[in-house]
Amino acid sequence: MPDDTFDLIVVGGGAIGLSTARNAARRGWRTLVLEKFGVLNNEGSSAGASRQFRLQYAQHYMAELSLASQNFWAELQGYSQNTLVRQNGSLWFGDPDLDSQEGGIAAAEKVMESLHIPFTRLTAPQIEARFPFKALPKDYEGFFQANGGIIDLKSTEEAALNAALATGRVVIREWEPATDISESGRGVEVRTVHGRYHGARLAICAGAYVNETLKPLGLSLGIDIWQMSSAYFALTEPARHLPTWFVFQDPGDSALFYGFPEVDWAHPGYARVATDFPDKILTDPAQRSYAPSTKSLGLDAQWVREHMTGLDPMPRFTSTCLIALAQNSSRELLLDYTPAWGRAHSNIVTYTAGWAGKYIPIMGDMIVRMLSAPETELVYGDYRIPLDRFSIDWTQTN
């Protein structure tokens, strides 16, 4: 095979792109990854050190996908000496009647019951007795699910990179953004500032940069790009058991927050607490500011001061990240075949949007399965994942 010809070209070398390349190479496909920046960068959804892993979802199929992902996480663990998912549990609490981008407490409980996922219901006093929270409204309720935990994101990316390179079939080009995509007799031609490459298949895994990548195809999709702030807070006393957590409360009153326990891979002696709302909503990743919002950090510090014990409420190690979210609120993730050049193509798949850190190992497999043969659902043991739940509302731009 010529040096410029591949079985698969992946545009985007973040966590999902690397997972896709690894899964393709395992099938014997010679794979090229084109990355706009360097691999393991902090320019998009892979920014930061940690992500939450959870089984609970308000949607049955999303919880099934989380359950199915566990075997893929266990397999990827073999490529890292660090623990990729630390199982310290997941706590959801707050107003049980409220929903958010994360789902809702009551709806998630119904899904867990139907899938026989164990969990423990808790009242506000019980939450305060077991975990380092205080002064919660007395009508707050929640649950603890023991299989949830915290993802070491950078170790996961490194494991996906190591696994891809170990196949001997993956070529990675850093600092080489795709500038043009066109149809060719060999499938798809992708041009960059350094050359042109031919692929039988194409996977677009560009995250917040997806519409920039799709421009040559005359396509765009509806996403909002959230710039979000987070901070770490110093432990002031020996840490009580703190799981990953999310609080559901009226955003008109005090906004939404989520957090992580202390970990050894990011600022030991500190716990991370983040806001679950955007500093601002962008239309282009180039609009990003690396400085967190003063207002967001102030609300973050206020939550810690009023409702957490054992933490100094002064924000430290502050940062921002970009998260692409579907404008269509019925779509948790966007994953679809790409209707390029006026017709549908089973050899081009686009993925973007959603809180997908927990799906890194299985998402690459999903994309490769779709590129192997036309699919309407993906079967993982007892779980059937309908792809129409992730379909994209495409817009023609020319």
Side-chain angles (χ1 to χ4, degrees):
M1 184 179 290
D3 288 344
D4 66 348
T5 301
F6 296 85
D7 298 301
L8 172 65
I9 298 174
V10 180
V11 177
I16 303 296
L18 292 172
S19 176
T20 300
R22 182 274 177 109
N23 280 280
R26 293 175 74 185
R27 289 177 176 254
W29 297 357
R30 185 166 183 260
T31 301
L32 171 67
V33 178
L34 297 173
E35 169 51 46
K36 180 182 178 72
F37 304 105
V39 294
L40 310 181
N41 65 69
N42 280 307
E43 299 299 325
S45 299
S46 298
S50 305
R51 291 292 184 275
Q52 293 194 8
F53 179 84
R54 58 184 165 99
L55 298 181
Q56 68 267 19
Y57 260 97
Q59 300 82 12
H60 198 277
Y61 61 92
M62 293 295 286
E64 287 189 319
L65 189 57
S66 290
L67 287 165
S69 76
Q70 292 179 109
N71 289 336
F72 287 83
W73 278 106
E75 197 275 334
L76 185 62
Q77 180 62 64
Y79 292 89
S80 178
Q81 295 181 350
N82 301 324
T83 300
L84 300 183
V85 182
R86 182 171 296 176
Q87 194 177 85
N88 61 316
S90 176
L91 173 68
W92 277 14
F93 63 97
D95 185 336
D97 296 323
L98 285 180
D99 292 331
S100 79
Q101 289 284 346
E102 295 293 310
I105 293 173
E109 288 178 346
K110 290 180 181 178
V111 171
M112 287 191 290
E113 287 174 338
S114 70
L115 290 172
H116 307 292
I117 298 171
F119 66 96
T120 302
R121 288 189 173 93
L122 299 168
T123 64
Q126 289 171 330
I127 292 168
E128 292 178 2
R130 289 184 58 176
F131 306 110
F133 296 99
K134 65 181 181 180
L136 300 178
K138 297 306 180 187
D139 61 346
Y140 273 17
E141 300 174 11
F143 61 79
F144 177 75
Q145 205 293 309
N147 300 99
I150 182 169
I151 299 168
D152 181 342
L153 184 61
K154 289 309 173 187
S155 290
T156 297
E157 284 188 280
E158 289 172 0
L161 175 61
N162 293 339
L165 294 177
T167 66
R169 299 187 183 94
V170 176
V171 176
I172 296 176
R173 304 288 190 204
E174 298 180 286
W175 306 103
E176 195 164 346
T179 57
D180 190 33
I181 301 171
S182 59
E183 199 170 15
S184 78
R186 287 174 279 183
V188 178
E189 179 181 280
V190 180
R191 297 184 185 182
T192 74
V193 293
H194 298 302
R196 62 179 65 187
Y197 306 97
H198 298 91
R201 306 167 187 86
L202 175 66
I204 297 173
C205 304
Y209 301 84
V210 64
N211 282 331
E212 174 185 325
T213 306
L214 288 168
K215 277 183 181 178
L217 301 180
L219 295 169
S220 68
L221 50 84
I223 59 170
D224 288 327
I225 304 171
W226 283 21
Q227 176 179 306
M228 301 178 70
S229 294
S230 73
Y232 288 79
F233 296 84
L235 299 173
T236 58
E237 59 187 56
R240 295 166 61 192
H241 174 226
L242 180 64
T244 58
W245 57 272
F246 188 91
V247 59
F248 294 81
Q249 51 190 19
D250 187 343
D253 293 335
S254 48
L256 304 174
F257 302 90
Y258 65 101
F260 303 79
E262 176 190 19
V263 292
D264 53 8
W265 63 76
H267 311 302
Y270 291 77
R272 181 181 167 213
V273 180
T275 54
D276 192 54
F277 55 87
D279 296 345
K280 53 186 176 181
I281 297 177
L282 315 179
T283 57
D284 186 326
Q287 299 167 336
R288 176 185 184 179
S289 167
Y290 290 88
S293 158
T294 301
K295 179 179 179 181
S296 294
L297 293 180
L299 290 170
D300 211 9
Q302 180 179 343
W303 165 262
V304 171
R305 182 171 56 253
E306 294 180 354
H307 296 295
M308 298 194 74
T309 63
L311 294 181
D312 181 340
M314 174 63 70
R316 305 290 186 186
F317 309 113
T318 61
S319 63
T320 64
C321 68
L322 298 182
I323 302 293
L325 296 176
Q327 291 174 346
N328 183 341
S329 61
S330 69
R331 299 285 185 262
E332 293 291 321
L333 305 169
L334 295 179
L335 173 66
D336 205 352
Y337 292 104
T338 308
W341 307 295
R343 63 188 188 279
H345 284 263
S346 61
N347 68 328
I348 308 175
V349 166
T350 294
Y351 160 75
T352 187
W355 314 95
K358 65 189 72 63
Y359 300 128
I360 290 167
I362 197 172
M363 187 65 68
D365 180 78
M366 293 171 68
I367 293 169
V368 170
R369 285 198 192 191
M370 291 173 66
L371 290 167
S372 299
E375 299 280 4
T376 58
E377 69 175 6
L378 299 176
V379 179
Y380 293 101
D382 295 332
Y383 309 121
R384 309 182 76 90
I385 311 302
L387 291 174
D388 63 353
R389 298 290 188 173
F390 310 131
S391 62
I392 295 172
D393 301 321
W394 294 99
T395 299
Q396 298 281 344
T397 59
N398 58 29

